Amino acid sequence: MKRVRPSSLLSFSLCFFASATFGQITPIVGQQGTAAATTHSITCRASFGPTYVMVAPVTTPPYSAVQESSTVQTLADGTHITRKPMSEKIYRDSQGRSRTERAFCQGLAGAPDGIIVEIRDPVSGYSYILDEQNHVAHRFVLQVRHPTPTTAPAIRNAGPEVVAKTVMPEGALKPTITTESIGSQTTEGVMVEGTRTTRIIPEGLEGNDRPFSIVSETWTSPELQIVVLSKNSDPRNGERTTRLSNIDLSNPILSLFQPPADYKVVDETDRITLTFTRE
């Protein structure tokens, strides 16, 4: 891995959560060389800890797909800001194993130069973070938590739980939340059922001088038990759309859920940090 001057580095610490939302990493550019020959170094870092799941190995409908998330924000003057889409590949087999491939460090042209691969294998009892640049498989013992009726549901794949409960004083302003079914349809070749949730923020709750609404649509496949399409419209943050495409219902090959043969397997118990540097 190449070394760059400390002034050109900025660390990023990321955590995996249930929705598999991997925070987008923005390249940090440091200039090196003379005016006649200037090079750019980009360094990205992400940290990972032990993986938690809520269930033991179970039979699951297999699939593979590409998930893409995009955000469009509209400013007060009508200007639209479209953020670079985040894309990842997802695999799940019939034994509950899963694999996710995400762009780790994107180049200036938008093409990812690094990939983070996360594997969860409840059959073997391990999860892996694959460092493709150094050919290292960081292996964690997969922690299984069984939910009980008296405990709050944990976030899948999150670290130690911190449950915060806000108690609203009597008479305080509260959002109004309504949920409705919006029917069923076929999306990407699978049948999905839709739900729309509208959250109305009353005047004054967040310093707003008038009420505003946050609207979310979720289209779920009962067969696959996954969200195929979701849309969230929030005037504070814009419109975010996440969709699955290229859905394949065949069972992925077993080798996708194992470290490659030429990788060194390192057992881990504490958090690790992966660093990717490109010139």
Side-chain angles (χ1 to χ4, degrees), residues 130 135-137 255 258-265:
L130 303 186
H135 282 211
V136 174
S255 61
Q258 300 171 337
D262 61 339
Y263 275 48
K264 177 183 179 181
V265 177

Side-chain angles (χ1 to χ4, degrees), residues 10-219:
L10 185 62
S11 297
F12 291 82
S13 181
L14 303 173
C15 297
F16 282 97
F17 290 93
S19 60
T21 28
F22 183 70
Q24 187 175 21
I25 301 180
T26 303
I28 302 303
V29 180
Q31 293 187 349
Q32 295 182 335
T34 63
T38 301
T39 62
H40 299 282
S41 297
I42 300 176
T43 296
C44 305
R45 293 178 180 169
S47 65
F48 307 88
T51 304
Y52 298 89
V53 294
M54 286 298 300
V55 295
V58 294
T59 300
T60 55
Y63 79 97
S64 60
V66 175
Q67 177 176 285
E68 185 171 273
S69 301
S70 59
T71 303
V72 178
Q73 187 173 12
T74 303
L75 303 184
D77 62 358
T79 301
H80 298 286
I81 299 176
T82 302
R83 293 178 176 83
K84 185 181 301 182
M86 297 173 57
S87 181
E88 56 189 58
K89 295 181 181 179
I90 302 173
Y91 305 86
R92 186 181 71 189
D93 75 358
S94 59
Q95 299 300 310
R97 301 180 184 92
S98 65
R99 175 188 175 106
T100 305
E101 302 173 1
R102 302 175 176 90
F104 179 33
C105 196
Q106 293 185 330
L108 297 179
D113 282 359
I115 297 293
I116 287 292
V117 178
E118 181 186 18
I119 296 173
R120 304 180 194 92
D121 183 359
V123 178
S124 69
Y126 292 107
S127 66
Y128 300 89
I129 300 297
L130 303 186
D131 181 349
E132 291 196 330
Q133 193 169 46
N134 297 299
H135 282 211
V136 174
H138 298 275
R139 182 169 67 179
F140 294 89
V141 174
L142 197 60
Q143 313 265 346
V144 178
R145 292 178 176 173
H146 299 277
T148 63
T150 58
T151 59
I155 296 177
R156 182 172 180 265
N157 301 326
E161 292 181 44
V162 177
V163 179
K165 183 178 180 181
T166 301
V167 179
M168 302 292 290
E170 185 176 353
L173 293 173
K174 299 179 182 179
T176 301
I177 303 175
T178 59
T179 301
E180 58 181 323
S181 171
I182 51 179
S184 59
Q185 64 183 31
T186 300
T187 300
E188 294 294 328
V190 299
M191 182 63 65
V192 292
E193 297 177 352
T195 302
R196 178 185 294 119
T197 300
T198 302
R199 182 183 180 93
I200 301 177
I201 308 300
E203 177 183 344
L205 181 61
E206 298 185 6
N208 47 308
D209 62 0
R210 67 185 68 180
F212 66 90
S213 300
I214 304 169
V215 180
S216 300
E217 282 188 15
T218 302
W219 295 88

